[in-house]
Amino acid sequence: MAEKKKAGAFDIRVVIALLVGIYGVVLTVLGLTGSQAETDKAAGININLWGGIGMLVFAALFVLWARLRPIAVADESPDDQ
């Protein structure tokens, strides 16, 4: 009988959340340290800050999704075939 294991760190949602989270941190830092001239170019909206915060929220939702609904992977041994 195949035993089921969770995908854990190898779940693609965790990998995507990590990549988007890294970009989100970079954009948030750029938004916090950016100049007023950059904000003025974007019609007065600090787009780096808001984009970074959006990416961080997206990454957190992906991690939450992966934790609440883990993917079960069947662990098949060679003699089960």
Side-chain angles (χ1 to χ4, degrees):
M1 179 188 251
E3 188 176 320
K4 291 192 174 187
K5 293 182 179 181
K6 293 180 184 176
F10 299 108
D11 188 353
I12 191 68
R13 296 172 293 186
V14 175
V15 175
I16 291 170
L18 178 67
L19 291 173
V20 171
I22 290 170
Y23 286 123
V25 168
V26 169
L27 278 179
T28 302
V29 169
L30 286 174
L32 291 172
T33 61
S35 66
Q36 184 62 37
E38 290 178 2
T39 304
D40 292 339
K41 281 191 228 177
I45 299 170
N46 193 343
I47 197 70
N48 285 338
L49 180 63
W50 286 108
I53 290 171
M55 289 178 134
L56 291 173
V57 168
F58 180 83
L61 290 174
F62 256 56
V63 170
L64 183 66
W65 178 28
R67 295 284 182 228
L68 293 177
R69 306 261 325 207
I71 294 176
V73 179
D75 184 25
E76 296 182 23
S77 60
D79 49 325
D80 285 344
Q81 296 176 359

